[in-house]
Coordinates of all heavy atoms in Angstrom, one line a residue:
M266 N 60.1 114.8 151.2 CA 59.0 115.9 151.3 C 58.8 116.6 150.0 O 57.6 116.6 149.4 CB 59.4 116.8 152.5 CG 58.2 117.9 152.7 SD 56.6 117.2 153.3 CE 57.1 116.8 155.0
T267 N 59.8 117.2 149.5 CA 59.6 118.0 148.3 C 59.7 117.0 147.1 O 60.4 116.0 147.2 CB 60.7 119.1 148.1 OG1 61.9 118.5 148.2 CG2 60.5 120.2 149.1
D268 N 59.1 117.3 146.0 CA 59.1 116.5 144.8 C 60.6 116.5 144.3 O 61.2 117.5 144.3 CB 58.2 117.0 143.8 CG 56.7 116.6 144.1 OD1 56.6 115.8 145.0 OD2 55.8 117.1 143.4
P269 N 61.0 115.5 143.6 CA 62.3 115.6 142.9 C 62.2 116.6 141.8 O 61.1 116.8 141.2 CB 62.5 114.2 142.3 CG 61.2 113.5 142.4 CD 60.4 114.2 143.5
Q270 N 63.2 117.4 141.6 CA 63.2 118.5 140.6 C 63.4 117.8 139.3 O 64.1 116.8 139.1 CB 64.3 119.4 140.8 CG 64.2 120.2 142.2 CD 62.8 121.0 142.2 OE1 62.6 121.9 141.4 NE2 62.0 120.6 143.2
P271 N 62.7 118.4 138.2 CA 62.8 117.8 136.8 C 64.2 118.0 136.4 O 64.9 118.9 136.8 CB 61.9 118.7 136.1 CG 61.6 119.9 136.8 CD 61.8 119.5 138.3
P272 N 64.7 117.1 135.5 CA 66.0 117.1 135.0 C 66.3 118.3 134.0 O 66.1 118.2 132.9 CB 66.2 115.7 134.3 CG 64.9 115.4 133.9 CD 63.9 116.0 134.9
I273 N 66.6 119.4 134.5 CA 66.8 120.6 133.8 C 68.3 120.9 133.8 O 69.0 120.9 134.9 CB 66.2 121.8 134.3 CG1 64.6 121.6 134.3 CG2 66.5 123.1 133.5 CD1 63.8 122.6 135.0
D274 N 68.9 121.1 132.6 CA 70.4 121.4 132.5 C 70.6 122.9 132.7 O 70.4 123.7 131.9 CB 70.9 120.9 131.1 CG 72.4 121.1 131.0 OD1 73.0 121.5 132.1 OD2 72.9 121.0 129.9
L275 N 71.0 123.2 133.9 CA 71.3 124.6 134.3 C 72.8 124.9 134.1 O 73.2 126.0 134.6 CB 70.8 124.9 135.7 CG 69.3 124.7 135.9 CD1 69.0 125.0 137.4 CD2 68.5 125.8 135.1
S276 N 73.6 124.0 133.7 CA 75.0 124.1 133.7 C 75.5 125.3 133.0 O 76.5 125.9 133.4 CB 75.7 122.9 133.2 OG 75.3 122.6 131.8
S277 N 74.8 125.8 131.9 CA 75.3 126.9 131.1 C 75.1 128.2 132.0 O 75.7 129.3 131.5 CB 74.6 127.0 129.8 OG 73.2 127.3 130.0
Y278 N 74.3 128.2 133.0 CA 74.2 129.4 133.8 C 75.2 129.6 134.9 O 75.3 130.6 135.6 CB 72.8 129.4 134.5 CG 71.6 129.5 133.5 CD1 70.9 128.4 133.1 CD2 71.3 130.8 133.0 CE1 70.0 128.5 132.1 CE2 70.3 130.9 132.1 CZ 69.7 129.8 131.6 OH 68.7 129.9 130.8
N279 N 76.1 128.6 135.1 CA 77.2 128.6 136.0 C 76.8 129.0 137.5 O 77.4 129.7 138.2 CB 78.3 129.7 135.6 CG 78.9 129.4 134.3 OD1 78.9 128.2 133.9 ND2 79.3 130.3 133.6
L280 N 75.6 128.4 137.8 CA 75.0 128.7 139.1 C 75.8 128.1 140.3 O 75.7 128.5 141.5 CB 73.6 128.3 139.3 CG 72.6 129.0 138.2 CD1 71.2 128.5 138.4 CD2 72.7 130.5 138.4
D281 N 76.6 127.0 140.0 CA 77.3 126.2 141.0 C 78.8 126.6 141.1 O 79.5 126.1 141.9 CB 77.1 124.7 140.8 CG 75.8 124.3 141.1 OD1 75.1 124.8 141.9 OD2 75.3 123.4 140.3
D282 N 79.2 127.6 140.3 CA 80.6 128.1 140.4 C 80.9 128.6 141.7 O 80.0 129.3 142.3 CB 80.9 129.1 139.3 CG 81.0 128.4 137.9 OD1 80.6 127.3 137.8 OD2 81.3 129.1 136.9
D283 N 82.1 128.5 142.2 CA 82.5 129.0 143.5 C 82.6 130.6 143.6 O 83.3 131.1 142.9 CB 84.0 128.4 143.8 CG 84.3 128.6 145.2 OD1 83.6 129.2 146.0 OD2 85.5 128.2 145.5
V284 N 81.6 131.1 144.4 CA 81.6 132.5 144.4 C 82.9 133.1 145.0 O 83.3 134.2 144.7 CB 80.4 133.0 145.4 CG1 80.4 134.5 145.6 CG2 79.1 132.6 144.6
S285 N 83.5 132.3 145.9 CA 84.7 132.8 146.5 C 85.9 133.0 145.5 O 86.9 133.6 145.7 CB 85.2 132.0 147.7 OG 85.6 130.7 147.2
A286 N 85.7 132.4 144.3 CA 86.7 132.5 143.2 C 86.5 133.8 142.4 O 87.4 134.1 141.6 CB 86.6 131.3 142.3
L287 N 85.5 134.5 142.7 CA 85.3 135.7 142.0 C 86.2 136.8 142.5 O 86.5 136.8 143.7 CB 83.8 136.2 142.1 CG 82.7 135.4 141.4 CD1 81.4 135.8 141.8 CD2 82.9 135.5 139.8
P288 N 86.6 137.8 141.7 CA 87.5 138.8 142.3 C 86.8 139.7 143.3 O 85.5 139.9 143.2 CB 87.9 139.6 141.0 CG 86.9 139.3 140.0 CD 86.3 138.0 140.3
D289 N 87.5 140.3 144.2 CA 86.9 141.4 145.1 C 86.8 142.7 144.4 O 87.3 143.7 144.9 CB 87.7 141.4 146.4 CG 87.6 140.1 147.2 OD1 86.6 139.5 147.3 OD2 88.7 139.7 147.8
D290 N 86.1 142.7 143.4 CA 86.0 143.9 142.5 C 84.5 144.2 142.3 O 83.8 143.4 141.7 CB 86.6 143.6 141.2 CG 86.5 144.8 140.2 OD1 85.4 145.4 140.1 OD2 87.5 145.1 139.4
I291 N 84.0 145.3 143.0 CA 82.6 145.5 143.0 C 82.0 145.6 141.6 O 80.8 145.1 141.4 CB 82.3 146.8 143.8 CG1 82.6 146.5 145.3 CG2 80.8 147.2 143.7 CD1 82.4 147.6 146.2
D292 N 82.7 146.2 140.7 CA 82.1 146.3 139.3 C 81.9 144.9 138.7 O 80.9 144.6 138.0 CB 83.1 147.2 138.4 CG 83.0 148.6 138.8 OD1 82.0 149.0 139.5 OD2 84.0 149.3 138.6
V293 N 82.9 144.0 138.9 CA 82.8 142.7 138.3 C 81.6 142.0 139.1 O 80.9 141.2 138.4 CB 84.2 142.0 138.5 CG1 84.0 140.5 138.1 CG2 85.2 142.6 137.7
L294 N 81.6 142.1 140.4 CA 80.6 141.4 141.1 C 79.2 141.9 140.8 O 78.2 141.1 140.6 CB 80.8 141.5 142.7 CG 82.1 140.9 143.1 CD1 82.3 141.3 144.6 CD2 82.0 139.4 143.1
R295 N 79.1 143.2 140.5 CA 77.8 143.7 140.1 C 77.4 143.2 138.7 O 76.2 143.0 138.5 CB 77.9 145.3 140.1 CG 77.7 145.8 141.5 CD 77.7 147.3 141.4 NE 77.5 147.8 142.8 CZ 77.8 149.0 143.2 NH1 78.3 149.9 142.3 NH2 77.5 149.4 144.4
L296 N 78.4 143.0 137.8 CA 78.0 142.3 136.5 C 77.4 141.0 136.7 O 76.5 140.5 136.0 CB 79.3 142.3 135.6 CG 79.7 143.6 135.1 CD1 81.0 143.4 134.2 CD2 78.6 144.2 134.1
E297 N 77.9 140.2 137.7 CA 77.4 138.9 138.0 C 76.0 139.0 138.5 O 75.1 138.2 138.2 CB 78.4 138.1 139.0 CG 77.9 136.7 139.4 CD 77.8 135.7 138.3 OE1 78.1 136.1 137.1 OE2 77.5 134.6 138.6
I298 N 75.8 140.0 139.4 CA 74.4 140.2 139.9 C 73.5 140.6 138.8 O 72.3 140.0 138.6 CB 74.3 141.3 140.9 CG1 75.2 141.0 142.2 CG2 73.0 141.8 141.3 CD1 74.3 140.4 143.2
D299 N 73.9 141.5 137.9 CA 73.1 141.9 136.7 C 72.8 140.6 135.8 O 71.6 140.5 135.4 CB 73.8 143.0 135.8 CG 74.0 144.2 136.6 OD1 73.3 144.4 137.7 OD2 74.8 145.1 136.2
R300 N 73.8 139.8 135.7 CA 73.5 138.6 134.8 C 72.5 137.7 135.5 O 71.6 137.2 134.8 CB 74.8 137.8 134.7 CG 74.8 136.6 133.9 CD 76.1 135.8 133.8 NE 76.3 135.0 135.0 CZ 75.9 133.9 135.3 NH1 75.2 133.3 134.4 NH2 76.2 133.3 136.4
L301 N 72.6 137.5 136.8 CA 71.7 136.6 137.6 C 70.3 137.2 137.6 O 69.3 136.5 137.3 CB 72.2 136.4 139.0 CG 73.5 135.5 139.0 CD1 74.1 135.6 140.4 CD2 73.1 134.1 138.7
D302 N 70.2 138.5 137.7 CA 68.8 139.2 137.8 C 68.2 139.0 136.4 O 67.0 138.8 136.3 CB 69.0 140.7 138.1 CG 69.2 140.9 139.5 OD1 69.1 140.0 140.4 OD2 69.5 142.1 139.9
A303 N 69.0 139.1 135.3 CA 68.3 138.9 134.0 C 67.8 137.5 133.8 O 66.6 137.2 133.3 CB 69.3 139.1 132.9
V304 N 68.5 136.5 134.4 CA 68.0 135.0 134.3 C 66.8 134.9 135.2 O 65.8 134.3 134.8 CB 69.2 134.1 134.8 CG1 68.6 132.7 135.0 CG2 70.3 134.1 133.9
I305 N 66.8 135.5 136.4 CA 65.7 135.4 137.3 C 64.5 136.0 136.8 O 63.3 135.5 136.8 CB 66.1 136.0 138.7 CG1 67.2 135.2 139.4 CG2 64.9 136.1 139.6 CD1 67.8 135.9 140.5
L306 N 64.7 137.3 136.2 CA 63.5 138.0 135.7 C 62.8 137.3 134.5 O 61.6 137.2 134.5 CB 63.9 139.4 135.4 CG 62.8 140.3 134.8 CD1 61.7 140.5 135.8 CD2 63.3 141.7 134.5
G307 N 63.8 136.8 133.7 CA 63.2 136.1 132.5 C 62.5 134.8 133.0 O 61.4 134.5 132.4
A308 N 63.0 134.1 134.0 CA 62.3 132.9 134.5 C 61.1 133.2 135.2 O 60.0 132.6 134.9 CB 63.2 132.2 135.5
I309 N 61.0 134.3 135.9 CA 59.7 134.8 136.6 C 58.7 135.1 135.6 O 57.5 134.8 135.7 CB 60.0 135.9 137.6 CG1 60.8 135.4 138.8 CG2 58.7 136.5 138.1 CD1 61.2 136.5 139.7
K310 N 59.0 135.9 134.5 CA 58.0 136.3 133.6 C 57.5 135.0 132.9 O 56.3 135.0 132.6 CB 58.7 137.3 132.5 CG 58.9 138.6 133.2 CD 59.8 139.5 132.4 CE 59.3 140.0 131.1 NZ 60.2 140.9 130.4
R311 N 58.3 134.1 132.5 CA 57.9 132.9 131.9 C 57.0 132.0 132.8 O 56.0 131.5 132.4 CB 59.1 132.1 131.2 CG 58.6 130.9 130.5 CD 59.8 130.3 129.7 NE 59.4 129.1 129.1 CZ 58.7 129.0 127.8 NH1 58.5 130.1 127.2 NH2 58.5 127.8 127.3
R312 N 57.4 131.9 134.0 CA 56.7 131.1 135.0 C 55.3 131.8 135.1 O 54.3 130.9 135.2 CB 57.4 131.2 136.4 CG 56.7 130.3 137.3 CD 57.2 130.5 138.8 NE 56.8 129.4 139.6 CZ 55.5 129.2 140.0 NH1 54.5 130.0 139.5 NH2 55.2 128.2 140.6
S313 N 55.2 133.1 135.2 CA 53.9 133.7 135.4 C 53.0 133.4 134.2 O 51.8 133.2 134.3 CB 54.0 135.2 135.6 OG 54.9 135.5 136.6
A314 N 53.5 133.5 132.9 CA 52.8 133.2 131.8 C 52.3 131.9 131.7 O 51.1 131.5 131.4 CB 53.6 133.6 130.5
V315 N 53.2 130.9 132.1 CA 52.8 129.4 132.0 C 51.7 129.2 133.1 O 50.7 128.5 132.8 CB 54.0 128.5 132.3 CG1 53.6 127.1 132.4 CG2 55.0 128.7 131.1
S316 N 51.9 129.8 134.3 CA 50.9 129.6 135.4 C 49.5 130.1 134.9 O 48.5 129.4 135.1 CB 51.4 130.3 136.6 OG 50.4 130.1 137.6
K317 N 49.5 131.3 134.3 CA 48.2 131.8 133.8 C 47.6 130.9 132.7 O 46.4 130.7 132.7 CB 48.4 133.3 133.2 CG 48.6 134.3 134.3 CD 49.0 135.6 133.7 CE 49.2 136.7 134.8 NZ 50.1 137.8 134.4
K318 N 48.4 130.4 131.9 CA 47.9 129.5 130.9 C 47.4 128.2 131.4 O 46.2 127.8 131.0 CB 49.1 129.1 129.9 CG 48.7 128.4 128.6 CD 49.9 128.3 127.7 CE 49.6 127.5 126.5 NZ 48.6 128.1 125.5
I319 N 48.0 127.6 132.4 CA 47.4 126.5 133.2 C 46.0 126.9 133.8 O 45.0 126.1 133.6 CB 48.3 126.0 134.2 CG1 49.6 125.3 133.6 CG2 47.6 125.0 135.1 CD1 50.6 124.9 134.6
G320 N 46.0 128.0 134.5 CA 44.7 128.5 135.1 C 43.6 128.6 134.1 O 42.5 128.1 134.3
A321 N 44.0 129.2 133.0 CA 42.9 129.4 131.9 C 42.4 128.1 131.3 O 41.2 127.8 131.1 CB 43.5 130.3 130.8
A322 N 43.4 127.2 131.1 CA 43.0 125.9 130.5 C 42.1 125.2 131.5 O 41.1 124.5 131.1 CB 44.3 125.1 130.2
R323 N 42.5 125.2 132.8 CA 41.7 124.5 133.8 C 40.3 125.0 133.9 O 39.2 124.3 134.0 CB 42.4 124.5 135.1 CG 41.8 123.5 136.1 CD 42.7 123.2 137.4 NE 43.3 124.4 137.9 CZ 44.7 124.4 138.0 NH1 45.4 123.4 137.7 NH2 45.2 125.6 138.5
M324 N 40.2 126.4 134.0 CA 38.9 127.0 134.1 C 38.0 126.8 132.9 O 36.8 126.6 133.1 CB 39.1 128.5 134.4 CG 39.4 128.8 135.8 SD 39.2 130.5 136.4 CE 40.4 131.3 135.4
A325 N 38.7 126.7 131.7 CA 37.9 126.5 130.5 C 37.3 125.1 130.5 O 36.3 124.9 129.8 CB 38.9 126.6 129.3
S326 N 37.9 124.2 131.3 CA 37.2 122.9 131.4 C 36.5 122.7 132.6 O 36.2 121.6 133.0 CB 38.3 121.8 131.2 OG 39.3 121.9 132.2
G327 N 36.1 123.8 133.2 CA 35.2 123.8 134.4 C 35.9 123.6 135.7 O 35.3 123.4 136.8
G328 N 37.3 123.6 135.7 CA 37.9 123.3 137.0 C 38.2 124.7 137.7 O 37.9 125.7 137.3
P329 N 38.8 124.5 138.9 CA 39.1 125.7 139.8 C 40.3 126.5 139.2 O 41.2 125.9 138.5 CB 39.5 125.0 141.1 CG 40.1 123.7 140.8 CD 39.4 123.2 139.5
R330 N 40.4 127.7 139.6 CA 41.5 128.6 139.2 C 42.8 128.1 139.8 O 43.9 128.2 139.4 CB 41.1 130.0 139.4 CG 42.1 131.1 138.9 CD 41.6 132.4 138.8 NE 41.2 132.9 140.2 CZ 41.9 133.7 140.9 NH1 43.1 134.1 140.5 NH2 41.6 134.1 142.1
L331 N 42.6 127.8 141.2 CA 43.8 127.4 142.1 C 43.6 126.0 142.5 O 42.6 125.5 142.6 CB 43.8 128.4 143.3 CG 43.8 129.9 142.9 CD1 43.8 130.7 144.2 CD2 44.9 130.3 142.1
V332 N 44.9 125.5 142.7 CA 45.0 124.1 143.3 C 45.8 124.1 144.5 O 47.1 124.2 144.4 CB 45.4 123.1 142.2 CG1 45.7 121.7 142.8 CG2 44.6 123.0 141.0
H333 N 45.2 124.0 145.7 CA 45.9 124.2 146.9 C 47.1 123.2 147.0 O 48.2 123.6 147.4 CB 44.9 124.1 148.1 CG 45.5 124.2 149.4 ND1 46.0 125.5 149.9 CD2 45.9 123.4 150.4 CE1 46.6 125.3 151.0 NE2 46.5 124.1 151.4
S334 N 46.9 121.9 146.7 CA 47.9 120.9 146.9 C 49.1 121.2 146.1 O 50.2 121.0 146.6 CB 47.3 119.5 146.6 OG 46.9 119.5 145.2
R335 N 48.9 121.7 145.0 CA 50.0 122.0 144.1 C 50.7 123.2 144.6 O 51.9 123.3 144.5 CB 49.5 122.3 142.7 CG 50.5 122.7 141.6 CD 51.4 121.7 141.1 NE 52.4 122.3 140.3 CZ 53.5 121.6 139.9 NH1 53.8 120.4 140.2 NH2 54.4 122.3 139.0
E336 N 50.0 124.2 145.1 CA 50.6 125.4 145.7 C 51.5 125.2 146.9 O 52.5 125.7 147.1 CB 49.5 126.5 146.0 CG 48.8 126.9 144.7 CD 48.1 128.3 144.9 OE1 48.1 128.9 145.9 OE2 47.7 128.8 143.8
V337 N 51.0 124.1 147.7 CA 51.8 123.7 148.9 C 53.1 123.1 148.4 O 54.2 123.3 149.1 CB 51.0 122.7 149.6 CG1 51.9 122.0 150.7 CG2 49.8 123.3 150.4
K338 N 53.1 122.3 147.3 CA 54.3 121.8 146.8 C 55.3 122.9 146.3 O 56.5 122.8 146.5 CB 54.1 120.9 145.6 CG 53.5 119.5 146.0 CD 53.3 118.6 144.7 CE 52.7 117.4 145.2 NZ 52.3 116.5 144.1
V339 N 54.8 124.0 145.7 CA 55.7 125.1 145.3 C 56.3 125.8 146.6 O 57.4 126.1 146.6 CB 54.8 126.2 144.5 CG1 55.6 127.4 144.2 CG2 54.4 125.5 143.2
L340 N 55.4 126.0 147.6 CA 55.9 126.6 148.9 C 57.0 125.7 149.5 O 58.0 126.2 150.0 CB 54.7 126.7 149.8 CG 53.7 127.8 149.5 CD1 52.5 127.7 150.4 CD2 54.3 129.2 149.5
D341 N 56.8 124.3 149.4 CA 57.8 123.4 150.0 C 59.1 123.6 149.3 O 60.2 123.4 149.9 CB 57.3 122.0 149.9 CG 56.3 121.6 150.9 OD1 56.1 122.4 151.9 OD2 55.7 120.5 150.8
R342 N 59.0 123.8 148.0 CA 60.2 123.9 147.1 C 61.1 125.0 147.6 O 62.3 124.9 147.4 CB 59.7 124.2 145.7 CG 60.6 123.7 144.6 CD 59.8 123.8 143.3 NE 58.9 122.7 143.0 CZ 58.0 122.7 142.2 NH1 57.6 123.8 141.5 NH2 57.3 121.6 141.9
F343 N 60.5 126.1 148.1 CA 61.3 127.2 148.5 C 61.6 127.3 150.0 O 62.2 128.3 150.5 CB 60.6 128.6 148.1 CG 60.7 128.8 146.6 CD1 59.8 128.2 145.7 CD2 61.6 129.7 146.1 CE1 59.9 128.4 144.3 CE2 61.7 129.9 144.7 CZ 60.9 129.3 143.9
A344 N 61.2 126.2 150.7 CA 61.3 126.2 152.2 C 62.8 126.3 152.6 O 63.0 126.8 153.7 CB 60.6 125.0 152.7
E345 N 63.7 125.8 151.8 CA 65.1 125.9 152.2 C 65.6 127.3 152.4 O 66.7 127.5 152.9 CB 66.0 125.1 151.2 CG 66.1 125.8 149.8 CD 67.0 125.0 148.9 OE1 68.2 125.2 149.1 OE2 66.5 124.3 148.0
L346 N 64.8 128.3 151.8 CA 65.2 129.7 152.1 C 64.6 130.3 153.2 O 64.6 131.5 153.4 CB 64.9 130.5 150.8 CG 65.6 130.0 149.5 CD1 65.1 130.9 148.3 CD2 67.1 130.1 149.6
G347 N 63.9 129.5 154.0 CA 63.3 130.0 155.3 C 62.1 130.9 155.0 O 61.4 130.8 154.0
Q348 N 61.8 131.8 155.9 CA 60.6 132.7 155.8 C 60.6 133.5 154.5 O 59.5 133.7 153.9 CB 60.5 133.6 157.0 CG 59.3 134.5 156.9 CD 58.0 133.8 156.8 OE1 57.8 132.9 157.6 NE2 57.2 134.3 156.0
E349 N 61.9 133.9 154.1 CA 61.9 134.8 152.9 C 61.6 133.9 151.7 O 61.0 134.4 150.7 CB 63.3 135.4 152.8 CG 63.8 136.3 153.9 CD 62.9 137.5 154.2 OE1 61.9 137.7 153.5 OE2 63.2 138.2 155.0
G350 N 62.0 132.7 151.8 CA 61.6 131.7 150.7 C 60.1 131.6 150.5 O 59.5 131.5 149.5
H351 N 59.4 131.5 151.7 CA 58.0 131.4 151.7 C 57.4 132.6 151.0 O 56.4 132.5 150.2 CB 57.5 131.3 153.1 CG 56.0 131.0 153.3 ND1 55.4 129.8 153.2 CD2 55.0 132.0 153.5 CE1 54.1 130.0 153.3 NE2 53.8 131.2 153.4
T352 N 57.9 133.8 151.5 CA 57.4 135.0 150.9 C 57.6 135.1 149.4 O 56.7 135.5 148.7 CB 58.1 136.2 151.6 OG1 57.9 136.2 153.0 CG2 57.6 137.5 151.0
L353 N 58.8 134.6 149.0 CA 59.1 134.6 147.6 C 58.2 133.7 146.8 O 57.7 134.1 145.7 CB 60.6 134.2 147.4 CG 61.2 134.1 146.0 CD1 61.0 135.5 145.3 CD2 62.6 133.7 146.0
A354 N 57.9 132.5 147.3 CA 57.1 131.6 146.7 C 55.6 132.2 146.5 O 54.9 132.0 145.6 CB 57.0 130.2 147.4
M355 N 55.2 132.8 147.7 CA 53.8 133.4 147.6 C 53.8 134.4 146.5 O 52.8 134.6 145.8 CB 53.5 134.1 149.0 CG 53.3 133.0 150.1 SD 51.8 132.0 149.9 CE 50.5 133.2 150.0
L356 N 54.8 135.2 146.3 CA 54.9 136.3 145.3 C 54.8 135.6 143.9 O 54.1 136.1 143.0 CB 56.1 137.1 145.4 CG 56.1 138.1 146.6 CD1 57.5 138.7 146.8 CD2 55.0 139.2 146.5
L357 N 55.5 134.6 143.7 CA 55.5 133.8 142.5 C 54.1 133.3 142.1 O 53.6 133.5 141.0 CB 56.5 132.6 142.5 CG 57.9 133.1 142.5 CD1 58.8 131.8 142.6 CD2 58.4 133.8 141.3
L358 N 53.4 132.8 143.2 CA 52.0 132.3 143.0 C 51.2 133.4 142.6 O 50.2 133.3 141.8 CB 51.6 131.5 144.2 CG 52.3 130.2 144.5 CD1 51.9 129.7 145.9 CD2 52.0 129.1 143.5
R359 N 51.3 134.5 143.3 CA 50.5 135.7 143.0 C 50.7 136.2 141.7 O 49.7 136.6 140.9 CB 50.8 136.9 144.0 CG 50.0 136.7 145.3 CD 50.5 137.7 146.4 NE 50.3 139.1 146.0 CZ 50.7 140.1 146.6 NH1 51.2 139.9 147.9 NH2 50.5 141.3 146.2
L360 N 52.0 136.2 141.2 CA 52.2 136.7 139.8 C 51.5 135.8 138.8 O 51.1 136.3 137.7 CB 53.7 136.7 139.6 CG 54.5 137.9 140.2 CD1 56.0 137.7 140.2 CD2 54.2 139.2 139.4
G361 N 51.4 134.5 139.0 CA 50.8 133.7 138.1 C 49.2 133.7 138.1 O 48.5 133.2 137.3
R362 N 48.7 134.5 139.1 CA 47.2 134.7 139.2 C 46.8 135.9 138.4 O 45.5 136.0 138.2 CB 46.9 134.8 140.7 CG 47.0 133.5 141.5 CD 46.7 133.7 142.9 NE 47.1 132.5 143.7 CZ 47.3 132.5 145.0 NH1 47.0 133.6 145.7 NH2 47.7 131.4 145.5
G363 N 47.7 136.8 138.1 CA 47.3 137.9 137.4 C 46.7 139.0 138.3 O 46.7 138.9 139.5
P364 N 46.1 140.0 137.7 CA 45.7 141.3 138.4 C 44.6 141.0 139.5 O 44.5 141.7 140.5 CB 45.2 142.2 137.4 CG 45.0 141.4 136.1 CD 45.9 140.2 136.3
L365 N 43.8 139.9 139.3 CA 42.8 139.6 140.4 C 43.2 138.7 141.4 O 42.5 138.5 142.3 CB 41.5 139.0 139.6 CG 40.9 140.0 138.6 CD1 39.7 139.2 137.9 CD2 40.4 141.2 139.2
G366 N 44.4 138.2 141.3 CA 45.0 137.3 142.2 C 45.3 138.0 143.5 O 45.6 139.1 143.6
R367 N 45.1 137.2 144.7 CA 45.3 137.7 146.0 C 46.8 137.4 146.4 O 47.2 136.4 146.1 CB 44.3 137.2 147.0 CG 43.0 137.9 146.9 CD 42.0 137.2 147.7 NE 41.7 135.9 147.3 CZ 42.0 134.8 148.0 NH1 42.7 134.9 149.1 NH2 41.8 133.6 147.5
Ligands
ISJ571 C1 49.9 126.4 137.6 C2 49.0 125.8 138.2 O1 47.8 126.5 138.7 C3 47.9 127.3 139.8 C4 49.1 128.0 139.9 C5 50.2 127.5 140.5 C6 51.6 128.0 140.4 O2 51.7 129.2 139.9 O3 52.5 127.3 140.7 C7 50.0 126.3 141.3 C8 48.8 125.8 141.5 C9 47.6 126.4 141.0 O4 47.0 127.2 142.0 C10 49.0 124.4 138.5 O5 48.0 123.8 138.9 O6 50.0 123.7 138.3

Protein backbone atom coordinates (compact mmCIF):
# COMPACT_ATOMS: atom_id res chain seq x y z
CA MET A 1 0.00 0.00 0.00
CA THR A 2 2.62 2.53 1.05
CA ASP A 3 5.51 3.28 -1.28
CA PRO A 4 8.86 1.78 -0.33
CA GLN A 5 10.88 4.33 1.56
CA PRO A 6 13.94 5.78 -0.17
CA PRO A 7 17.29 4.34 0.96
CA ILE A 8 18.26 6.93 3.55
CA ASP A 9 21.00 6.10 6.05
CA LEU A 10 19.54 7.08 9.41
CA SER A 11 21.97 4.94 11.39
CA SER A 12 23.88 7.92 12.81
CA TYR A 13 20.68 9.09 14.54
CA ASN A 14 20.47 5.88 16.63
CA LEU A 15 16.69 5.74 16.16
CA ASP A 16 16.59 1.94 16.48
CA ASP A 17 18.58 1.72 19.68
CA ASP A 18 16.78 -0.11 22.49
CA VAL A 19 15.00 2.50 24.62
CA SER A 20 14.86 0.05 27.54
CA ALA A 21 18.66 0.20 27.61
CA LEU A 22 18.56 3.89 28.56
CA PRO A 23 18.96 4.65 32.27
CA ASP A 24 15.91 5.49 34.39
CA ASP A 25 17.29 8.98 34.83
CA ILE A 26 14.91 11.75 33.86
CA ASP A 27 17.69 14.22 33.06
CA VAL A 28 19.38 11.75 30.73
CA LEU A 29 16.07 10.78 29.12
CA ARG A 30 15.21 14.45 28.61
CA LEU A 31 18.52 14.95 26.82
CA GLU A 32 17.47 12.17 24.45
CA ILE A 33 14.09 13.90 23.90
CA ASP A 34 15.91 17.19 23.25
CA ARG A 35 18.20 15.49 20.74
CA LEU A 36 15.27 13.90 18.92
CA ASP A 37 13.28 17.17 18.90
CA ALA A 38 16.23 18.91 17.25
CA VAL A 39 16.32 16.25 14.53
CA ILE A 40 12.54 16.37 14.06
CA LEU A 41 12.40 20.18 13.95
CA GLY A 42 15.26 20.37 11.48
CA ALA A 43 13.60 17.77 9.28
CA ILE A 44 10.22 19.54 9.44
CA LYS A 45 11.73 22.90 8.51
CA ARG A 46 13.57 21.40 5.57
CA ARG A 47 10.53 19.40 4.48
CA SER A 48 8.39 22.56 4.49
CA ALA A 49 10.94 24.47 2.44
CA VAL A 50 11.26 21.66 -0.12
CA SER A 51 7.48 21.30 -0.34
CA LYS A 52 7.10 25.05 -1.01
CA LYS A 53 9.81 24.86 -3.67
CA ILE A 54 7.97 22.03 -5.44
CA GLY A 55 4.71 23.98 -5.29
CA ALA A 56 6.36 27.10 -6.70
CA ALA A 57 8.04 25.15 -9.51
CA ARG A 58 4.81 23.40 -10.44
CA MET A 59 2.76 26.59 -10.43
CA ALA A 60 5.44 28.39 -12.47
CA SER A 61 4.86 25.82 -15.21
CA GLY A 62 1.09 26.21 -15.01
CA GLY A 63 0.40 23.24 -12.77
CA PRO A 64 -1.69 23.02 -9.61
CA ARG A 65 -0.41 24.03 -6.19
CA LEU A 66 -1.53 20.73 -4.63
CA VAL A 67 -1.52 17.14 -5.88
CA HIS A 68 -4.12 15.04 -4.12
CA SER A 69 -2.69 11.63 -5.09
CA ARG A 70 0.72 12.54 -3.71
CA GLU A 71 -0.81 13.89 -0.49
CA VAL A 72 -2.66 10.59 -0.01
CA LYS A 73 0.70 8.80 -0.19
CA VAL A 74 2.05 11.09 2.52
CA LEU A 75 -1.00 10.37 4.69
CA ASP A 76 -0.54 6.61 4.10
CA ARG A 77 3.05 6.89 5.23
CA PHE A 78 1.97 8.07 8.67
CA ALA A 79 -0.98 5.67 8.99
CA GLU A 80 0.98 3.35 11.27
CA LEU A 81 0.65 6.06 13.95
CA GLY A 82 -3.16 5.92 13.77
CA GLN A 83 -5.35 9.03 14.03
CA GLU A 84 -2.52 11.07 15.52
CA GLY A 85 -0.36 10.09 12.56
CA HIS A 86 -3.06 11.37 10.22
CA THR A 87 -3.17 14.66 12.14
CA LEU A 88 0.62 14.90 12.05
CA ALA A 89 0.75 14.27 8.29
CA MET A 90 -1.95 16.90 7.74
CA LEU A 91 0.12 19.40 9.71
CA LEU A 92 3.20 18.60 7.64
CA LEU A 93 1.22 19.13 4.45
CA ARG A 94 -0.12 22.44 5.81
CA LEU A 95 3.37 23.62 6.75
CA GLY A 96 4.45 23.02 3.16
CA ARG A 97 1.61 25.15 1.83
CA GLY A 98 2.71 28.30 3.61
CA PRO A 99 0.54 31.02 5.16
CA LEU A 100 -2.28 30.67 2.62
CA GLY A 101 -2.48 26.90 3.00
CA ARG A 102 -5.52 25.34 4.67
C1 LIG B 1 5.53 18.58 -2.49
C2 LIG B 1 4.58 18.41 -3.42
O1 LIG B 1 3.53 19.33 -3.59
C3 LIG B 1 2.47 19.38 -2.66
C4 LIG B 1 2.93 19.14 -1.27
C5 LIG B 1 3.04 17.87 -0.80
C6 LIG B 1 3.82 17.57 0.44
O2 LIG B 1 4.10 18.51 1.20
O3 LIG B 1 4.15 16.41 0.67
C7 LIG B 1 2.44 16.81 -1.50
C8 LIG B 1 1.70 17.03 -2.60
C9 LIG B 1 1.42 18.38 -3.12
O4 LIG B 1 0.13 18.78 -2.71
C10 LIG B 1 4.60 17.26 -4.34
O5 LIG B 1 3.82 17.24 -5.30
O6 LIG B 1 5.41 16.33 -4.13
